């Protein structure tokens, strides 16, 4: 399967109808417009989502019928919402968008959807949409870099700044160096290990309350190779999950 | 101004901050995923919005500071929602998205926004957002091909299928032949003048209730030249409107 | 059919039950309380809706069973909301009212409703209600002076102030001179051709931002005859549409 | 003050402006379309509200400046919603309507509003609107036949069917015989004392679950005199309350 | 039936499953946190609800299968919301809570629920939930001290401060002296007959606008005996109602 | 500080007013009604929240002024919502409750609130409320057993069934053996390591889809000592956090 055979934006009515008849898994990439410091652009999450999903469609090729939707480029941004490069939607709005897309697809017989999400802030809204759609008989899979944990541990050279959050760091910068090197200005990469407030887990903090930079960790340690290694595992895992989703969709 | 100087997705934090300091007019392109028959793809409105806004940024150049946002590729589709290539959001959701983006921008000092809209179905939601944002002190301009009326009358060779609706027709196909000829399959263009129900103005009809094709009118009469002539006027008009918006924003 | 046989407000339970058994078309008049300048009262739209619907019921007589509902006298007013004689509901509220009335009627077996609307500002809310009710199996027809276009062109002597908006002008004042002459003070009628802002189509303007009077056009050119000619055509067209709606309702 | 001097529907812009300058108390009549058995029409509550408010404006005359709004003829009907002559809105919709009217008035400097309500089912929605408007600095008075209790006890000859509910009974029918005798068919009046379920206070019952007629009590005992006596007291009490509201509005 | 056999909080999965199989009536106690003056604590309504429901479960014993839910301790408080001991939820929130609990129970086969409510401010929200749940096939009974009216008249020695409201008065204090004497400080009980505003029935007043104390009436006249007599009647009535609800649930 | 000095339910108006004057930190315990297998009751989370908060108030004593609210015993349950012992609210409802309580407290000058939460399913709703309240100037701290991680690692003898979820397991059962041993039936404790679906992280699963028991892990390894050790650390950590919150509240 070539990208052009899956990309709904490129299909005419006959082609769309024919693809729908195969009960494909729909792919919805979602990112965000969010400040990423000096070495990465505000569109980082969107760039990653676009390129990752392109690579995914290429990899899955003829194996699993896919219906690629255009990127939703606005997401829920809270921690960095006060930064110049950030635009934020509410959780409720992101959730509504995904639910309504899901119901549109269901009306056409597509009941398996995979969201390729590159922005952590979207997860709550996506989980909410996932549960609402499950009640409607639509299976929504959320791909937050699945399969990345193990290769990340293998390639990581510098400590993470926080056990739960990563942002514009060694890892994410490596993704960009691999997928979109032209958008990275490594000479501006910084090392930033902010002192998180001791009650960071209990209270709600905008990051600007404790960190001058949105970078979390050591962006200077990023390499394209690290990005390639992790994302190759991620693509493999996503391909497996899509195959299972497709099978599930055909059983339904 | 080059595209890369305006596109928020490409800016790092310093650049975004510097651009915001100039109180630019934000540009938000919005289209839709919607069936366009056999000769145009489902992404037609999105393709047009992307290319039109790119041309607009190039034209305005250094004259008016712009902040280009990524394309919102999902819109409100009702009349053709039951077609294979259509994905629909509700009016309320489209309106919420635009209002929340507007409030995000306002928090950064940007109070003038121009929506470049290529999908007629979005207008009600955009008007609603426009009024809500006006109450918040944000000026939202809606560009539905402004300035197109007169040159359209000049170049049009075939009658419109309906006084208020145009879709995948002589005119829209001409836009595509000018801006994205590689996406047009003119050999599949058709002439379709459906018999509108006599109470079409009073009732709510899905177009599939009275037309086998989503094309309204004579798509075979489209030419790149017609598209160029109309869109050149549209770009000129949008440039004027942006300059006025910028001036208005600086007064505020 | 006499008015008293159709007016739900005048029926007792047996009569209402008997009328419902005939599966009548419900008629819902809706206007607004809105400033109309010095020569017309704030209740102009309501007066027109009441008289027009009365004339309609008389004309349709025994031909089509009708169920006349009382006038909804509050509508969505935005452009003139800041004027002394205007009271405004939101679009969402107007839409909810109409949907809930529609569902009440559906529960009694009435699935065809015609809204006789005399206030342009209600159209967005009515379209929204129309689509929501269609999903519920209820056909809502919206009558915005159907059939008026042609006779208006024939009788009009003075230019319209705007291609899309008419208000308290030659035409609307003529309607009042025909239907409610006692409410018109022609000695106060004015000629008012405001200079619309050049970006009026793109931005949201309260009319007070560019016009001292809410009159659009030349009210002094109004005559009862013009009103009679146009509204006679309108009544004829509405009667046809009601007959078709009734037939549709019986098929359902 | 004559009716025509208070009725907003009849005022032109100058008159409306002049009246607003006096900071009048706004009067909003609200009724319902609801089944009232065989001897009273479905519009009973609306007829009563219209006539009562007319009498009230006449009585108050020059004493208290009033701004009369048109009747809202749809209300919240639940107990009799399944009857042929009933149309129902939800509580939330009724409340929204009143709140939005209140905010429209507030924007014009009117912060005292009296709702003349003749339909018991509206009370919950009106109380809700009252509290919401109080938070906005608008005083909403709810007139549910104020001052009726004592004269009702004096004139009543037959027992009430229920301590809390009255409907189409000796009392309400007397109101109609006094205010709108032409709409009453006394020959069809009935005596109906349904056996209320013993858990009527604890559960939610549609009245059709325990009564064949919507009449509660003895409608045959109604007389115009009883109506006159009670409503005269009601009008007197409303006049006092309006004077106090006006004074309160001027202090604000 | 012992309390421990009915209290869902104390049951393990097998026990809960076995109880559900008997189609028990669910009991939901609800109170409020609300100022009660100097002699009663803010938790008075909650204490009463807890103890009353405990006594009810003991009384009903093996007669009617019950499923006791934990107390909802927050309610809708408006009149005394500005007092130090009051915490308020909105009507909509209280209604949502009860509806969602009702739907949870319905999914387990429990379609009869009795709310034991000790706070008058909750009634509007409970009635709303009751009607919403009725549409879902769930019977919600609202117990506002059913059966209290007659014995209250019998034991009352001092006049009520208001025909419709009672609060921290002879009666409620008697309930506390009977059910929770350790929480009453009778030495601080007061006599408080505030002068209600003459338009109290028509306007919305916080009680602090006309009364220095939240006590309504003569709290010094309270005795445990009065509480016992009334509540014994209330328990008897509730037991009857539960038996009827259980029978109804089994028929459904 | 004794419990009775902090528990709002036990305070009269003077006491509540005096406590508020000290600007205490409000404590809101929240649990859930949720199936916990055969050895723990459905009220486990509520029992833990009640006892934990009691211990916390005792420990903090005079050090930090506290305002203890009653337990909210209903929470968001999704994964186990289909089990007999589970009652579920939606995220939106839980969030609304907490926001409205927060706004009630803010009106009384309390702007620091700590939620003692024992049910993982509540976290999303609490985070949402936390952010909404932050915009209102109210600091909401969420205590999900803070400080438990390290001592849990120290005492744990059996592996966790899942890295992110714990339920009715070695650890939670130990909490109960320490705080409420009378509610534990250790003879019914089981070992249950379900095979999680391989796409458990990506899809939405009710646990009943892959596990016969709601226990996750080895409940038989629980001991009161383990519970004591962990919860002692938790109480110490919560006391520290409360002191910091109090200081923050006084600065505000």
């Amino acid at each position: 399967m070539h990208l052009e055979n899956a990309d709904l934006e490129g299909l005419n009515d006959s082609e769309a109808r024919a693809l729908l008849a195969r009960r494909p898994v729909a792919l919805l990439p979602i990112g965000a417009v969010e400040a990423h410091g000096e070495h990465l652009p505000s569109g980082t999450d969107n760039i990653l989502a676009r390129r990752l999903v392109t690579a995914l469609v290429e990899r899955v090729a003829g194996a699993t019928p896919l219906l690629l939707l255009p990127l939703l480029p606005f997401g829920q941004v809270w921690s960095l919402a006060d930064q110049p490069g950030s635009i934020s939607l509410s959780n409720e709005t992101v959730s509504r968008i995904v639910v309504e897309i899901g119901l549109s697809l269901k009306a056409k017989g597509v009941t398996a959807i995979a969201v390729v999400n590159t922005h952590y802030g979207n997860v709550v809204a996506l989980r909410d949409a996932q549960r609402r759609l499950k009640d409607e008989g639509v299976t929504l899979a959320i791909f937050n870099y699945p399969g990345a944990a193990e290769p990340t541990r293998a390639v990581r050279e510098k400590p993470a700044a926080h056990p739960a959050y990563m942002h514009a760091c060694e890892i994410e910068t490596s993704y960009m160096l691999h997928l979109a090197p032209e958008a990275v200005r490594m000479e501006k990469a910084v090392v930033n290990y902010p002192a998180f407030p001791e009650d960071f887990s209990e209270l709600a903090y905008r990051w600007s309350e404790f960190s001058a930079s949105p970078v979390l960790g050591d962006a200077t340690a990023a390499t394209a190779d690290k990005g390639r290694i992790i994302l190759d595992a991620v693509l493999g895992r996503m391909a497996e999950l899509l195959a299972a989703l497709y099978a599930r969709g055909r059983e339904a």
Side-chain angles (χ1 to χ4, degrees), chain A:
Chain A
M1 172 174 288
H2 298 290
L3 179 56
E4 57 266 29
N5 295 339
D7 182 357
L8 180 56
E9 289 206 308
L11 304 184
N12 68 11
D13 291 1
S14 298
E15 291 163 344
R17 189 174 291 110
L19 179 51
L20 290 172
R22 299 178 66 197
R23 306 205 58 185
V25 178
L27 272 188
L28 173 65
I30 172 168
V33 177
E34 187 183 39
H36 273 73
E38 298 301 321
H39 71 296
L40 292 177
S42 289
T44 292
D45 295 344
N46 289 335
I47 294 167
L48 289 173
R50 281 187 197 102
R51 305 252 168 127
L52 197 59
V53 88
T54 300
L56 179 62
V57 173
E58 295 297 345
R59 177 181 293 238
V60 169
T64 305
L66 297 178
L67 176 72
L68 177 59
L69 301 173
L71 171 79
L72 176 62
F74 299 103
Q76 194 272 354
V77 175
W78 192 87
S79 301
L80 288 167
D82 58 0
Q83 295 305 296
S86 301
I87 303 286
S88 185
L89 300 183
S90 64
N91 273 323
E92 175 60 16
T93 295
V94 173
S95 183
R96 286 175 71 121
I97 296 169
V98 176
V99 168
E100 293 179 4
I101 290 172
L103 295 178
S104 264
L105 289 167
K106 180 190 174 190
K108 296 174 204 321
V110 174
T111 57
I113 307 170
V115 174
V116 176
N117 174 45
T118 53
H119 174 61
Y120 187 75
N122 291 329
V123 173
V124 162
L126 293 173
R127 289 267 176 238
D128 180 66
Q130 184 181 50
R131 291 177 174 185
R132 290 202 229 171
L133 285 170
K134 179 164 180 153
D135 287 343
E136 303 286 338
V138 177
T139 302
L140 187 87
I142 306 171
F143 291 174
N144 301 307
Y145 295 114
E150 198 177 330
T152 297
R153 275 191 296 272
V155 303
R156 179 188 282 289
E157 293 177 292
K158 298 299 172 61
H162 188 271
Y165 295 93
M166 74 171 226
H167 194 72
C169 59
E170 177 185 357
I171 304 304
E172 194 179 25
T173 306
S174 293
Y175 293 169
M176 283 292 279
L177 285 172
H178 173 55
L179 289 180
E182 76 285 3
V184 187
R185 294 180 247 185
M186 277 305 285
E187 72 283 6
K188 294 184 183 293
V190 297
V191 182
N192 185 53
Y193 285 90
F196 285 78
E198 60 116 31
D199 50 7
F200 180 74
S201 301
E202 286 80 26
L203 299 193
Y205 283 97
R206 308 274 184 191
W207 292 0
S208 60
E209 297 179 55
F210 59 83
S211 177
S213 161
V215 173
L216 290 190
D218 184 351
T220 67
T223 69
D225 250 23
K226 293 176 183 174
R228 182 182 51 75
I229 289 166
I230 301 173
L231 294 180
D232 199 60
V234 166
L235 286 166
R237 177 67 181 138
M238 293 199 291
E240 283 172 19
L241 288 162
L242 288 175
L245 269 173
Y246 175 60
R248 174 191 288 255
R250 289 170 64 91
E251 286 160 18

